[in-house]
Amino acid sequence: MPSEHNTTAERLDELVAQLTLEEKVMLLTGRDFWTTWPIEKIGLRRLLMSDGPSGVRGEAWDERDPSLNLPSATALAASWDQDIARRYGAAAAVEARRKGVDVVLGPTINLHRSPLGGRHFEAFSEDPVLTSNLAAAYVKGVQEHGIAATPKHYIANDYETDRFTASTEVSERALRELYLLAFEKSVTDAHAWAIMSSYNSINGVTASENPLLETPLNSEWGFDGIVVSDWTGVRSIESARASQDVAMPGPDGPWGDALVSAVRHGVVPEDAINRKVRRILLLAARVGALEGFEPAVTTPPPGEDGIAFVREAEVEGTVLVQNNGILPILGNVPRIAVIGHNADQARSQGGGSATVLPEHVVTPLDGIRAAFPHAPVEYSMGAVVHEGIAELPLGCITNPDNGHPGVRARFLQDGREIFGEDRRTTTLVWFGGNAPIRDADTLEIVTRYVPDTSGPLKLGVGAAGVSRMWIDDTLILDVDVPVGSDDLGAAFLNPPSDGTAIEVVAGSPIMIRVQHDIPKESALAGALSFGFGLLPGDIDAEQLIADAVATASGADIVIVVVGTNAKVESEGYDRTSLSLPGRQDDLVAAVAAANPNTIVAVNAGSPVELPWREDVAAVLLTWFGGQEYGHSLADVLTGLREPGGRMPTTWPIKQDDVPVIDVTPVEGKVHYDEGIHVGYRAWLKSGVKPAYEFGFGLGYTSWILDFVEVPETVVPDEIVSVAVTVTNTGTRAGKQVVQIYAEKPSSAVDRPVRWLVAACPVRAESGETVSTVLNVPSRLLGYWDNGWMYEPGEYRLHTGFSVSDLPSTDTIVLKP
Ligand code: BGC
């Protein structure tokens, strides 16, 4: 045990000195998918890491151990509210504690550079300042509970195509002013205890070896936590010479014995190893995993009701972008029509490693039915949106081994069962946990299924590789489904599917047995994804639309929920189109023509084209709404709550208008040639009007900006305090987001037309006037040129409610 009188640093050094080189190197690579090695002799227990960021999955991907499913990061960002971000981080930390997790692998703070980015839904915004403020608040919210947050992915990982190999070619100025800013604030303001390095290269050097891990992260910002790799992102001994501390997952990996030998041969200095170990021990001390050290937080603040928070956070992030007065729906509504595949099969979260398994999801249909108990609510699907396997409903399947709802899953080795478990879903992922994926050669699953309708039923499997399916002992499917790509996301987290149709009779049980040959070679050895269930049958798309129109015509109010699906927005690949999948555009156009009282809720994590948007009564952007999605939507529809969101990212009218869109590497490189002109900065430069501008959003009340007071001068390093007074001029209480944008007239350097420097939500009762102070760090007036440079002279500060609704302009002089 380290002696009591020494400083923490000295005591950690003493512990490092007690370890052999082999022990130290062992500690630098994970023990398995999610944990690090314990070392009993120094009182170190394992550290458990888990995704994140919109909830915490826990050690295994298992529906029997569900997690709180928060709304997507885009919904959080749309709240523009640091208090919500802090509570969101705290909600994740409470989940982490419940699940024994020490390190939450989030927030994802890459930027929305292009709307095609596959993980757009998982990141906050196109703007570095909004992203920074929310990132720091999220990190604080997590760490106040004694759990480490891990802002990711460092750095310039804003697209998914060829993500393991592509190099982002980006100027130092754009890195500093845009892509690094949220990481900087997460470290200097929120003191993040961990950072995750990315898969891609930056200017030709892969992230886990990149000098950016040292400068600015350590040398300038004073980071003292661990840099953990993205999963399999450490590829070399060289990365051990860089400031990359931990390689995940383990136990295999490029370090191990090779690193011990590299140290022995003087290729990697032992001091570099010691520094990494010391950082791991400091992290362990902070989270209470190292005996003899007081954890950073001994009494975490009380957690709040997670389910109520999920509902509130989604309301705060819902952006009302159009309203002819139909919303909120007040008074009695005799007949309501709800239309859309996503109304019944809502997306509460995006796909990929961020997936958590909620106990329940309140769909829009559920939420609307609950909110209007006295109105008949009629539902029509209207268009098929979802692709691939849909799991068999739990209420229709029985595990033959125990008679309970679910399936029996067995792992076989040469035909002999070596492991078995009772599960409650037909779409299964093993990514951590006890199942012997590496030892077994076959997965076998059985269940008894009772169909609820008669006729043809398309059954299938969702897994890359060889699978077979028997119905009542007759082989109906024997397929080898090709894997489209070697990416973890595409092949493992969103597998391809194949199936065949059989005839069934409602109420007559069938015994389903499926087998899957566990691939020996896999991008992620020891992990497995396998699903079986229903595939969309042959559907008459015209008839679906006609049925929806008939349903809509007879209703007083129509609520259409359109959206994306798991094949469109997920990890591991980028989008190719901003159109809504399937026939949804035709559906909305037809429904709106049949009923003028059509309200559309958009259930997508990232921008989609809405060509009919001016032909409907109201449009709400609801993102991926979390597990209480339907209740949040109903709260907004009924006016129980005001939609609190503002655009965190610009949405285009059409894809061709988007000024920065490219996500596809050419000869292995993605060139960020637009430099600092990303998002609304690029839109302003191009002069093209988007559908919904950055910062824009309506509420249920109206506002005026009464008064703005800006100091006359500022010097570098000072904070400019801007006093703003606004009045709620409408008839109900509401929220507005005050935004300040800077402009530098006749600048000697390239500048954005204007750029966000401060924002904050304000709330007021009807008729109430409120004042607030927004702080503008003068750093945000500077620019990067081998250091932060300050151009003296006049700057304009524009204040208002979106990037182009800026009624007040003041001048401030930056003095040298
Ligand atoms: C993702 C990370 C994630 C990790 C572990 C990677 O594929 O890029 O965001 O934390 O997997 O699941």
Side-chain angles (χ1 to χ4, degrees):
M1 273 308 105
S3 30
E4 290 290 318
H5 54 274
N6 287 353
T7 64
T8 300
E10 288 164 344
R11 292 164 70 211
L12 291 175
D13 282 341
E14 286 172 29
L15 293 184
V16 176
Q18 288 173 33
L19 299 176
T20 64
L21 178 62
E22 284 77 3
E23 285 168 333
K24 289 188 281 194
V25 167
M26 180 181 79
L27 199 51
L28 304 185
T29 295
R31 183 177 65 168
D32 51 33
F33 277 123
W34 307 113
T35 66
T36 58
W37 290 92
I39 303 186
E40 217 175 297
K41 77 176 192 197
I42 57 164
L44 173 70
R45 68 159 170 80
R46 67 176 200 162
L47 292 168
L48 173 58
M49 310 183 184
S50 177
D51 297 305
S54 298
V56 178
R57 192 167 56 241
E59 194 158 3
W61 190 302
D62 195 321
E63 73 291 344
R64 294 168 298 179
D65 180 16
S67 304
L68 191 73
N69 169 197
L70 291 148
S72 58
T74 36
L76 167 58
S79 76
W80 286 62
D81 189 334
Q82 293 177 51
D83 184 49
I84 293 282
R86 199 162 182 152
R87 289 164 64 199
Y88 189 106
V94 169
E95 284 288 278
R97 281 201 168 265
R98 186 172 69 79
K99 291 184 167 239
V101 168
D102 303 294
V103 181
V104 171
L105 301 173
T108 302
I109 57 173
N110 300 115
L111 293 188
H112 293 165
R113 174 179 169 269
S114 160
L116 294 177
R119 294 177 84 169
H120 196 104
F121 68 87
E122 207 184 311
F124 292 133
S125 166
E126 66 191 13
D127 180 76
V129 172
L130 179 59
T131 301
S132 302
N133 291 344
L134 297 172
Y138 179 117
V139 170
K140 285 179 189 164
V142 174
Q143 295 192 170
E144 274 159 8
H145 286 259
I147 305 291
T150 315
K152 63 186 185 184
H153 310 82
Y154 191 93
I155 186 71
N157 184 188
D158 316 286
Y159 55 89
E160 291 291 280
T161 309
D162 297 341
R163 63 178 172 157
F164 297 137
T165 52
S167 178
T168 301
E169 302 296 302
V170 55
S171 70
E172 207 183 330
R173 178 166 180 207
L175 272 177
R176 290 286 188 150
E177 292 182 26
L178 274 71
Y179 301 99
L180 286 168
L181 195 72
F183 288 92
E184 178 180 354
K185 192 147 181 196
S186 298
V187 173
T188 56
D189 182 23
H191 307 289
W193 296 339
I195 294 277
M196 186 186 291
S197 55
S198 57
Y199 286 132
N200 55 292
S201 296
I202 305 97
N203 298 326
V205 182
T206 196
S208 54
E209 297 168 19
N210 203 292
L212 287 164
L213 293 181
E214 183 58 22
T215 301
L217 180 60
N218 288 294
S219 62
E220 289 180 26
W221 305 340
F223 178 64
D224 63 2
I226 61 160
V227 175
V228 59
S229 71
D230 200 346
W231 266 225
T232 71
V234 162
R235 291 146 181 148
S236 65
I237 288 294
E238 187 53 32
S239 52
R241 291 162 59 88
S243 298
Q244 173 70 52
D245 301 307
V246 177
M248 287 299 283
D252 306 324
W255 286 358
D257 292 346
L259 183 51
V260 171
S261 148
V263 174
R264 294 244 153 85
H265 289 93
V267 177
V268 176
E270 188 156 359
D271 272 358
I273 306 297
N274 291 343
R275 185 178 110 151
K276 297 178 202 303
V277 171
R278 203 180 300 115
R279 284 168 178 255
I280 297 170
L281 296 184
L282 177 60
L283 172 65
R286 284 171 162 162
V287 300
L290 188 58
E291 275 172 32
F293 290 79
E294 176 110 321
V297 176
T298 42
T299 25
E304 63 178 317
D305 175 350
I307 291 181
F309 175 69
V310 169
R311 183 170 178 165
E312 179 188 343
E314 166 64 4
V315 167
E316 289 293 330
T318 295
V319 190
L320 176 63
V321 286
Q322 181 167 317
N323 186 11
N324 70 357
I326 194 170
L327 289 177
I329 305 167
L330 301 171
N332 268 346
V333 185
R335 288 158 310 167
I336 297 175
V338 175
I339 290 169
H341 207 171
N342 288 45
D344 187 35
Q345 286 185 32
R347 291 208 77 200
S348 63
Q349 59 183 322
S353 64
T355 307
V356 297
L357 306 178
E359 195 156 34
H360 65 258
V361 170
V362 180
T363 67
L365 191 53
D366 299 333
I368 291 165
R369 287 206 161 118
F372 296 94
H374 305 301
V377 174
E378 220 185 305
Y379 173 69
S380 181
M381 185 162 96
V384 177
V385 178
H386 295 270
E387 296 173 62
I389 291 291
E391 63 182 287
L392 297 173
L394 190 58
C396 302
I397 49 173
T398 307
N399 176 342
D401 271 28
N402 64 9
H404 295 308
V407 306
R408 177 74 185 168
R410 301 189 179 96
F411 287 85
L412 312 178
Q413 191 186 53
D414 300 326
R416 190 175 51 88
E417 178 175 332
I418 54 170
F419 183 82
E421 55 187 11
D422 300 318
R423 301 294 297 262
R424 293 168 59 79
T425 174
T426 65
T427 50
L428 293 147
V429 172
W430 289 271
F431 193 15
N434 303 327
I437 311 288
R438 286 169 193 258
D439 299 331
D441 51 48
T442 309
L443 166 69
E444 181 174 87
I445 305 182
V446 286
T447 191
R448 202 179 76 230
Y449 173 57
V450 183
D452 55 8
T453 50
S454 298
L457 188 72
K458 195 157 182 196
L459 284 170
V461 292
V466 176
S467 301
R468 297 166 288 278
M469 180 183 282
W470 291 263
I471 301 295
D472 297 330
D473 287 332
T474 304
L475 182 69
I476 62 152
L477 192 69
D478 189 349
V479 285
D480 186 351
V481 189
V483 40
S485 127
D486 197 31
D487 190 279
L488 313 184
F492 165 71
L493 296 167
N494 202 356
S497 53
D498 199 352
T500 187
I502 59 163
E503 283 294 323
V504 294
V505 177
S508 289
I510 56 173
M511 190 62 82
I512 303 178
R513 180 162 63 100
V514 283
Q515 279 191 351
H516 177 63
D517 293 352
I518 298 174
K520 284 295 132 213
E521 298 293 317
S522 136
L524 208 51
L528 181 65
S529 169
F530 179 80
F532 68 102
L534 302 174
L535 285 166
D538 296 329
I539 283 179
D540 180 344
E542 290 301 331
Q543 191 58 46
L544 278 185
I545 294 180
D547 291 349
V549 167
T551 306
S553 310
D556 300 285
I557 297 260
V558 186
I559 299 150
V560 188
V561 183
V562 295
T564 56
N565 64 34
K567 300 270 175 206
V568 172
E569 286 183 81
S570 190
E571 177 181 331
Y573 47 89
D574 290 309
R575 293 201 288 166
T576 51
S577 162
L578 299 187
S579 302
L580 285 167
R583 296 286 303 278
Q584 295 184 92
D585 287 336
D586 296 332
L587 170 68
V588 182
V591 167
N595 193 323
N597 293 332
T598 295
I599 300 160
V600 182
V602 183
N603 180 203
S606 5
V608 283
E609 291 174 356
L610 309 174
W612 33 260
R613 68 192 191 288
E614 283 168 359
D615 307 326
V616 297
V619 180
L620 287 159
L621 309 185
T622 59
W623 319 104
F624 295 144
Q627 65 178 57
E628 305 302 307
Y629 177 38
H631 286 325
S632 309
L633 178 61
D635 288 350
V636 166
L637 292 172
T638 58
L640 187 67
R641 298 287 311 271
E642 190 188 52
R646 300 294 181 269
M647 300 301 296
T649 283
T650 313
W651 279 36
I653 296 173
K654 47 188 203 312
Q655 182 165 341
D656 284 349
D657 294 343
V658 178
V660 179
I661 189 128
D662 172 44
V663 286
T664 308
V666 177
E667 294 178 356
K669 293 176 178 171
V670 176
H671 292 270
Y672 285 15
D673 285 340
E674 69 286 346
I676 56 166
H677 302 282
V678 168
Y680 63 87
R681 300 161 173 227
W683 283 93
L684 288 171
K685 200 174 171 201
S686 75
V688 178
K689 284 270 306 161
Y692 307 120
E693 286 174 325
F694 181 74
F696 167 73
L698 306 165
Y700 291 156
T701 184
S702 50
W703 297 82
I704 53 166
L705 181 64
D706 300 305
F707 191 65
V708 178
E709 200 182 331
V710 174
E712 282 173 11
T713 60
V714 60
V715 295
D717 290 337
E718 228 178 25
I719 287 183
V720 183
S721 294
V722 179
V724 179
T725 304
V726 295
T727 300
N728 175 352
T729 52
T731 53
R732 34 179 300 160
K735 163 186 171 183
Q736 180 55 284
V737 177
V738 177
Q739 302 161 40
I740 303 180
Y741 296 81
E743 181 199 338
K744 176 75 185 109
S746 52
S747 175
V749 289
D750 180 30
R751 297 273 194 167
V753 175
R754 54 184 169 274
W755 65 99
L756 185 75
V757 290
C760 100
V762 289
R763 292 181 171 78
E765 297 296 322
S766 161
E768 193 188 0
T769 297
V770 291
S771 297
T772 185
V773 174
L774 286 84
N775 289 325
V776 180
S778 56
R779 234 290 290 280
L780 295 177
L781 303 178
Y783 62 94
W784 180 267
D785 183 6
N786 275 321
W788 291 107
M789 310 302 265
Y790 294 90
E791 195 182 5
E794 282 188 5
Y795 289 74
R796 303 226 164 96
L797 294 184
H798 304 279
T799 307
F801 305 132
S802 83
V803 73
S804 62
D805 174 14
L806 297 165
S808 166
T809 296
D810 297 85
T811 300
I812 184 164
V813 175
L814 179 71
K815 298 216 152 161

